[in-house]
Amino acid sequence: MAKIVLTLFALALILGQTNGDVNGGVNCERDVLHLVKPCSLFVLAQDPKPSEECCVGLQSLAKTAAASQSDRKVLCDCIKYLEKFGNVNYTKAKQLPQLCQFTAFMPIEPNPDCS
């Protein structure tokens, strides 16, 4: 648990030192980090299922991604960047679309192709 807290703290510091924009109007820190952070207990730790807050956040991101090709790319790039700061269990991460009832808007794999 301490490792997860330290990882999230480090992410906040790193993103806080930049403007947070990956590209265009979607902002990693403002628009993405707070939505995916509740999922960390599921994809980085031993939680058996994602929290309701995690699912609501992912559903929101999926709606944003569905509305715009450019936003979908930016969201993918942002999540790809955030994945570097934790040991994501991709077996669990691949379950998120089904468990949280949303359409995956990016490949759920290490180093996804966001183009």
Side-chain angles (χ1 to χ4, degrees), residues 1 4-5 8 36-51 53-54 92:
M1 181 66 171
I4 293 169
V5 172
L8 292 174
V36 298
K37 190 164 89 171
C39 301
S40 64
L41 294 175
F42 178 71
V43 298
L44 298 176
Q46 302 302 318
D47 278 12
K49 64 180 187 171
S51 68
E53 189 178 11
C54 167
K92 291 177 82 174

Side-chain angles (χ1 to χ4, degrees), residues 19-90:
N19 66 8
D21 286 335
V22 173
N23 184 19
V26 176
N27 177 290
C28 266
E29 184 178 10
R30 180 192 68 227
D31 302 326
V32 180
L33 180 60
H34 76 281
L35 294 174
V36 298
K37 190 164 89 171
C39 301
S40 64
L41 294 175
F42 178 71
V43 298
L44 298 176
Q46 302 302 318
D47 278 12
K49 64 180 187 171
S51 68
E52 181 67 25
E53 189 178 11
C54 167
C55 289
V56 168
L58 292 175
Q59 290 166 356
S60 175
L61 290 176
K63 285 180 187 174
T64 299
S68 163
Q69 173 70 27
S70 62
D71 284 347
R72 183 170 40 256
K73 181 182 181 334
V74 171
L75 290 171
C76 180
D77 287 337
C78 181
I79 292 172
K80 180 179 177 177
Y81 174 77
L82 294 173
E83 288 175 347
K84 294 179 181 182
F85 297 97
N87 293 322
V88 174
N89 179 331
Y90 288 97

